[in-house]
Amino acid sequence: MSTVRQALQSALDRNGGIIPFDEFMAIALHNPEDGYYARNIRGLGPRGDFTTVPQVTAALGRALAGWLRGEAAARGWTSAAVIECGPGDGSLAVEVMRNFGWWERRRWSLHLVETSEPLRAQQQTKLGRKAAWHRTIADALAACDGRALIYHNEFFDAFPCRVFRRESEAWTELHLRVAEGKLSEVFLAPTRPRPDSTAFAGDWPHGQRIEVFASVGDWMRGMVPSWHEGAMLAIDYGGTPEEIYDRRPVGTVRAYRDHQRLTGEAVYELPGRQDITADVNFADLARWASELGWSVMNNRSLSEFVGQADLRAAAGAFRALTLSKML
């Protein structure tokens, strides 16, 4: 039995044979011994399980370099620390630094936040000594004295999410149990406080599923003691709840393996061996940021951010949200 399956069985045993979906997702993706991102991701692009925008076009790296220049200039910074969270195979960081040129690069220090050993190895192959690596955003911010420009691409969608379903009078939450030798779904009354999310306010029909990345809100709140000044650009697929769940009554949870999109019971078939994700609610990100005292500067499509209409084919429903933190 794999370490992931052992961890899932232990979680099931502790909870009377039932676990919430977000706990399953956390184990399947991030178990340190055998989770998908921790140990088993094969990489990105044609030979990996999925492809991200930086593998398709260099336009995002150029746009990010321009964004970093603009944010540094707005603060009067002549040099700046740059943090990328979840850098994938390192392609985006390489492209960003390339767009600075040799002399301008001397003004920037690059910090990468990565917990995956396979991905870190790929990043180090591409970047060598041009970056410093950290396991947490707090560690990276400490190395920058809390003053940094932060960006990430398809980072939040890999956080564990909670899944809820609208019933006639209330909301139930997705849990998993073993039935006939495999994991199956069951919706139960929540045993934990319901997370703060704009999605609950929607006029949803009976049976509508929604996802809430409460763990992202926790991550943002955890930055408060460490992040003193700068800006953050969050790029991911998603939108408002109305945009995300239009004609999607079963929500957006899916898995990817060998470039195949998997839904339904296939999401639970190979824990630790395939990616699991869902669309990100950008209205939640903006609300949580505002509650922390951060300014929401821009919330636009990725093609608008990059300035290329033809990026739509690669970026799809991606959005780019800019948040600002001033002293």
Side-chain angles (χ1 to χ4, degrees):
M1 182 182 293
S2 71
T3 305
V4 162
R5 291 189 179 276
Q6 290 176 346
L8 287 172
Q9 188 60 58
S10 296
L12 288 163
D13 292 342
R14 288 195 307 271
N15 294 282
I18 296 175
I19 59 171
F21 174 81
D22 61 317
E23 186 170 354
F24 160 79
M25 188 172 174
I27 293 171
L29 295 183
H30 304 295
N31 177 274
E33 299 299 324
D34 201 29
Y36 175 73
Y37 279 108
R39 296 292 174 185
N40 297 311
I41 184 170
R42 298 180 303 154
L44 310 179
R47 296 185 180 181
D49 286 318
F50 54 90
T51 298
T52 63
V53 174
Q55 280 81 49
V56 177
T57 174
L60 181 55
R62 291 195 298 270
L64 270 167
W67 177 80
L68 290 166
R69 287 190 191 97
E71 292 295 333
R75 290 164 175 77
W77 294 355
T78 56
S79 62
V82 176
I83 300 174
E84 182 179 354
C85 301
D89 66 355
S91 296
L92 185 55
V94 168
E95 193 60 37
V96 169
M97 291 297 112
R98 181 181 293 129
N99 276 276
F100 285 139
W102 180 84
W103 183 253
E104 190 181 3
R105 271 200 300 271
R106 297 167 64 90
R107 297 172 44 212
W108 307 88
S109 61
L110 178 63
H111 300 261
L112 303 181
V113 178
E114 184 59 78
T115 59
S116 169
E117 294 300 330
L119 290 178
R120 181 182 288 209
Q122 293 180 43
Q123 295 156 17
Q124 290 174 333
T125 298
K126 291 184 176 183
L127 289 157
R129 298 181 181 180
K130 298 175 183 177
W133 277 263
H134 311 273
R135 293 193 62 81
T136 69
I137 185 65
D139 290 342
L141 286 167
C144 305
D145 295 324
R147 186 172 173 264
L149 302 175
I150 305 163
Y151 70 87
H152 39 83
N153 175 57
E154 294 190 60
F155 178 60
F156 285 156
D157 65 87
F159 279 57
C161 65
R162 296 175 67 178
V163 180
F164 296 86
R165 187 174 70 184
R166 180 69 186 177
E167 311 296 349
S168 57
E169 299 295 334
W171 290 90
T172 54
E173 184 168 5
L174 176 60
H175 292 69
L176 301 176
R177 63 183 175 184
V178 177
E180 299 180 355
K182 61 182 181 180
L183 289 169
S184 63
E185 298 182 346
V186 57
F187 281 85
L188 304 170
T191 58
R192 297 170 290 174
R194 199 173 80 178
D196 174 35
S197 174
T198 58
F200 290 113
D203 184 20
W204 307 117
H206 177 82
Q208 175 69 53
R209 296 190 189 191
I210 64 170
E211 299 91 18
V212 181
F213 282 92
S215 57
V216 171
D218 293 339
W219 182 86
M220 292 169 69
R221 285 185 285 273
M223 289 179 63
V224 170
S226 306
W227 192 31
H228 306 315
E229 185 180 8
M232 177 163 62
L233 179 68
I235 300 170
D236 229 309
Y237 40 80
T240 65
E242 293 75 18
E243 292 167 338
I244 292 171
Y245 301 114
D246 180 36
R247 292 179 290 181
R248 288 176 170 175
V250 296
T252 67
V253 170
R254 67 270 195 191
Y256 289 96
R257 184 175 69 249
D258 295 329
H259 289 273
Q260 292 186 328
R261 178 188 173 109
L262 308 170
T263 59
E265 293 183 354
V267 172
Y268 312 119
E269 287 179 353
L270 291 172
R273 297 299 184 272
Q274 59 192 24
D275 187 25
I276 304 171
T277 187
D279 280 24
V280 175
N281 182 343
F282 275 72
D284 278 352
L285 301 184
R287 177 162 151 180
W288 297 336
S290 295
E291 290 172 351
L292 295 174
W294 304 348
S295 299
V296 179
M297 306 304 293
N298 281 295
N299 186 352
R300 48 189 164 169
S301 71
L302 185 57
S303 58
E304 289 172 330
F305 170 74
V306 174
Q308 287 190 207
D310 60 357
L311 188 65
R312 290 173 188 163
F318 277 71
R319 297 202 65 80
L321 175 68
T322 301
L323 307 172
S324 178
K325 173 74 178 293
M326 302 295 288
L327 284 174

